[in-house]
Amino acid sequence: MTHRYLLFTLAVVFFCAGNLSAQKVITPEDVLSIRELSDLQLSPNGKQIVFVVNEPNDAKSPREPRVSNIWVVPADGSEPPRPLIPDLKNAASPRWSPDGSSLAFLSDQIYLLRNGEKTASRVTNVPGGVEDYVWSPDGKMIAFIGRDQATAEEQASRAASDDAIVR
């Protein structure tokens, strides 16, 4: 099993590094062009691994948040990694249900994707969004932490792209 994780880790490094040459000095621009990988989660049956991939920002809009999606790959390496749901733009924190029949993830709210389905269902509707969550041990409930809804001043500040709020 450890050997499998080592091979997966090496594959992920090559997946994320893309076309960087071993003979080239890495510049700050190169670092910003690398896909970031995070939040690896092994399915309860050990057959699949999901992880988050943050794509590089477009140089024309560096202030925009990075696009993130959840990818899945068989743990045995029999297939290449692929996006779990194509075209997601803000997906994070994938978590398998305890029995492995469903996968929950965050995209401002909690979404649930059951095995065999192609579309995720939203399971929360919190005005300020969801910060974090955890499955109950029996997999029948999800506990979560909701964010406070932004004040009018905070919303105006974000819309104006201000970095700080001065009070």
Side-chain angles (χ1 to χ4, degrees), residues 93 97 113 134 144:
S93 303
S97 62
L113 182 65
V134 64
F144 64 89

Side-chain angles (χ1 to χ4, degrees), residues 55-67 158-159 161:
E55 298 292 343
N57 276 355
D58 182 359
K60 297 173 188 166
S61 54
R63 294 180 64 110
E64 291 295 316
R66 287 182 144 204
V67 171
R158 286 186 195 139
S161 297

Side-chain angles (χ1 to χ4, degrees), residues 107-108 112:
S107 185
D108 192 44
L112 187 65

Side-chain angles (χ1 to χ4, degrees), residues 71-87:
W71 288 60
V72 62
V73 63
D76 65 4
S78 61
E79 297 174 24
R82 64 174 174 77
L84 183 67
I85 300 174
D87 301 323

Side-chain angles (χ1 to χ4, degrees), residues 33-99:
S33 71
I34 296 173
R35 289 175 159 169
E36 292 179 15
L37 176 88
S38 63
D39 215 353
L40 276 78
Q41 301 288 319
L42 180 64
S43 64
N45 66 7
K47 293 184 178 183
Q48 291 184 321
I49 300 169
V50 293
F51 54 96
V52 176
V53 175
N54 292 306
E55 298 292 343
N57 276 355
D58 182 359
K60 297 173 188 166
S61 54
R63 294 180 64 110
E64 291 295 316
R66 287 182 144 204
V67 171
S68 61
N69 199 349
I70 297 168
W71 288 60
V72 62
V73 63
D76 65 4
S78 61
E79 297 174 24
R82 64 174 174 77
L84 183 67
I85 300 174
D87 301 323
L88 285 178
K89 303 290 185 216
N90 181 26
S93 303
R95 301 287 181 269
W96 295 101
S97 62
D99 67 359

